[in-house]
């Protein structure tokens, strides 16, 4: 990974990314594919959907050009996501190239863990340390019910491999779904007491066609805290760490790891939002809950220069909304599936 501000001129070359509410943009969630080897029922339709055509997906050189410019404009943290990022051919090489770009201080990956047992070593070798692995159950049959595939054992061995290799932090993303896995919330908190990991409980969000969201499935972070404390003891508030993002962190007394709560529906965190998203087909999204997208792919293919691209991005960021509009648990309709946005 590059040294922080190794190049003294970095950031002086191009306009910084600051939106019209003064929020500095330092974090990019980059989706490298919409393809996935699972079919999580809360993320994508189970049938009747089309993958993006291959020719629409950003090529590695286009991704590098974009990230290079964004890093010159103040983006420091890059997270690769998808679809499932590890199904993209040669993604480990791409991650190595991104981590060598001037200004990139933190490289992260969000994965379903299916391919981790094979790829963890290569990822560690290119310098990746921050990894988020999604897992919503410890029960094999339930895993198949939620994800549509019987691959629990592979994900579990991938997690074990990451612990052995020394990835840190390792975060487990657990989407809370009432009636489907809320009875395992305390078990996952205890997992964080046993292993040096952070378990992040995420509120189920009504994103996209096919998310199957319904009020009856919603389980809030406050309900989860109450449930954990009943079974596993008092949660102790942890100091927020740099780059800890929107998660509120706690630990269990004597535990090795931490638990975090991400509560986009019950406690919105828009005022601290420092992120941009880029979809696999090169669309810039300024807010997870808004379908407004700014097309970047064609200008990259038309050979836009770095300076012009930087100016375009700085202007685009000014359109970032202050917050998403929501009333109770109702958030705006968003048509894109989560699998094509990247979470
Ligand atoms: N395939 C990778 C994975 O599952 O980790 C990366 C992409 S996935 C879209 C990124 C994150 O979004 C995952 O942690 C997933 O659990 C979460 N996610 C997907 N749909 C969601 C929903 N409707 N509400 C809350 N989180 C969701
Ligand atoms: Fe695939 Fe991740 Fe969506 Fe599950 S959450 S379907 S693993 S993209």
């Amino acid at each position: 990974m590059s040294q922080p501000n190794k190049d003294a001129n970095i950031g002086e070359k191009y306009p910084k990314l600051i939106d019209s509410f003064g929020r500095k943009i330092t974090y990019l969630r980059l989706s490298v594919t919409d393809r996935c080897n699972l079919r999580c029922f809360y993320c994508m339709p189970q049938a009747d959907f089309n993958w993006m055509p291959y020719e629409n997906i950003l090529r590695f050189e286009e991704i590098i050009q974009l990230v290079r410019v964004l890093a010159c404009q103040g983006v420091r943290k890059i997270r690769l996501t998808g679809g499932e990022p590890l199904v993209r051919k040669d993604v480990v090489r791409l991650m190595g190239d991104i981590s060598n770009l001037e200004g990139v201080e933190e490289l992260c990956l969000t994965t379903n863990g299916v391919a981790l047992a094979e790829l963890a070593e290569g990822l560690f070798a290119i310098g990746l340390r921050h990894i988020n692995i999604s897992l919503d159950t410890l029960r094999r049959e339930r895993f198949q019910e939620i994800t549509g595939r019987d691959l629990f054992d592979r994900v579990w061995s991938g997690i074990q491999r990451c612990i052995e290799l020394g990835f840190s932090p390792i975060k487990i993303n657990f989407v809370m779904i009432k009636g489907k896995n809320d009875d395992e919330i305390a078990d996952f908190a205890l997992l964080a007491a046993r292993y040096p990991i952070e378990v992040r409980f995420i509120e189920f969000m009504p994103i996209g066609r096919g998310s199957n969201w319904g009020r009856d499935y919603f389980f809030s972070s406050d309900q989860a805290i109450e449930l954990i404390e009943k079974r596993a003891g008092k949660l102790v508030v942890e100091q927020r760490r740099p780059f800890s993002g929107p998660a509120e962190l706690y630990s269990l007394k004597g535990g090795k790891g931490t638990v975090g709560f991400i509560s986009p529906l019950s406690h919105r965190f828009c005022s601290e939002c420092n992120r941009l998203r880029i979809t696999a087909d090169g669309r810039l999204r300024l807010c997870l809950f808004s379908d407004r997208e700014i097309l970047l792919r064609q200008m990259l293919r038309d050979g836009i220069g770095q300076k012009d691209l930087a100016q375009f991005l700085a202007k685009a960021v000014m359109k970032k909304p202050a917050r998403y509009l929501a009333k109770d648990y109702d958030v705006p309709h968003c048509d894109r599936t989560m699998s094509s946005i990247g979470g």
Side-chain angles (χ1 to χ4, degrees), residues 29 31 33 35-38 40-44 79-86 109-113 132-136 172-177 200 202-208 210-213 262 264-265 288 337-343:
R29 295 182 66 99
S31 171
T33 180
R35 269 83 173 156
C36 189
N37 41 12
L38 298 183
C40 301
F41 96 102
Y42 50 73
C43 179
M44 59 186 292
R79 173 177 303 282
L80 261 71
T81 177
E84 172 46 37
L86 296 185
L109 173 71
T110 297
T111 171
N112 61 27
N132 288 21
I133 305 161
S134 303
L135 183 66
D136 308 308
I172 304 295
N173 286 356
F174 178 103
V175 179
M176 300 180 285
I177 314 153
R200 293 147 48 103
I202 303 174
E203 289 178 351
F204 184 5
M205 293 180 260
I207 301 275
S211 83
N212 288 307
W213 194 87
I262 302 192
L265 270 62
L288 175 60
T337 62
M338 194 68 128
S339 58
S340 73
I341 302 171

Side-chain angles (χ1 to χ4, degrees), residues 129-322:
R129 295 293 178 270
H130 296 216
I131 192 157
N132 288 21
I133 305 161
S134 303
L135 183 66
D136 308 308
T137 177
L138 295 170
R139 302 180 196 172
R140 194 173 152 192
E141 285 107 67
R142 189 178 277 183
F143 183 95
Q144 179 161 14
E145 202 184 297
I146 293 175
T147 69
R149 301 286 184 271
D150 182 14
L151 292 171
F152 171 79
D153 293 342
R154 268 167 74 174
V155 175
W156 189 248
S157 56
I159 293 173
Q160 296 292 337
R161 188 75 190 113
C162 288
I163 296 174
E164 276 162 29
L165 285 165
F167 279 87
S168 178
I170 298 172
K171 298 181 184 174
I172 304 295
N173 286 356
F174 178 103
V175 179
M176 300 180 285
I177 314 153
K178 191 162 147 193
K180 290 235 181 234
N181 66 359
D182 52 320
D183 55 345
E184 290 190 73
I185 288 175
D187 296 338
F188 270 73
L190 289 168
L191 208 61
R194 205 162 127 213
Y195 294 101
I197 56 175
E198 178 183 321
V199 174
R200 293 147 48 103
F201 296 101
I202 303 174
E203 289 178 351
F204 184 5
M205 293 180 260
I207 301 275
R209 276 176 312 108
S211 83
N212 288 307
W213 194 87
R215 188 70 185 86
D216 291 347
Y217 280 135
F218 184 71
F219 201 84
S220 73
S221 295
D222 290 344
Q223 287 173 295
I225 290 173
E226 197 183 319
L227 200 151
I228 293 168
E229 292 197 321
K230 249 189 221 153
R231 250 207 53 206
K234 186 101 190 108
L235 286 169
V236 183
V237 181
E238 288 274 304
Q239 191 118 32
R240 285 177 79 99
R241 294 189 290 266
F243 294 126
S244 74
E248 295 294 336
L249 294 181
Y250 298 81
S251 59
L252 279 167
K253 209 165 162 226
K256 290 189 180 158
T258 51
V259 292
F261 296 90
I262 302 192
S263 323
L265 270 62
S266 64
H267 301 87
R268 84 171 72 217
F269 35 76
C270 303
S271 62
E272 293 163 44
C273 186
N274 63 347
R275 59 188 65 187
L276 292 179
R277 293 176 168 79
I278 294 180
T279 63
D281 56 349
R283 293 156 190 261
L284 181 71
R285 286 180 72 100
L286 302 164
C287 171
L288 175 60
F289 293 103
S290 162
D291 272 331
R292 178 176 199 172
E293 295 178 336
I294 297 169
L295 310 183
L296 302 175
R297 186 184 67 237
Q298 201 50 51
M299 65 177 76
L300 292 168
R301 292 193 180 166
D302 289 343
I304 188 171
Q306 298 207 20
K307 205 165 164 199
D308 288 342
L309 180 58
Q311 261 152 10
F312 182 87
L313 291 167
K315 232 164 126 188
V317 159
M318 295 299 280
K319 298 185 185 129
K320 191 170 162 67

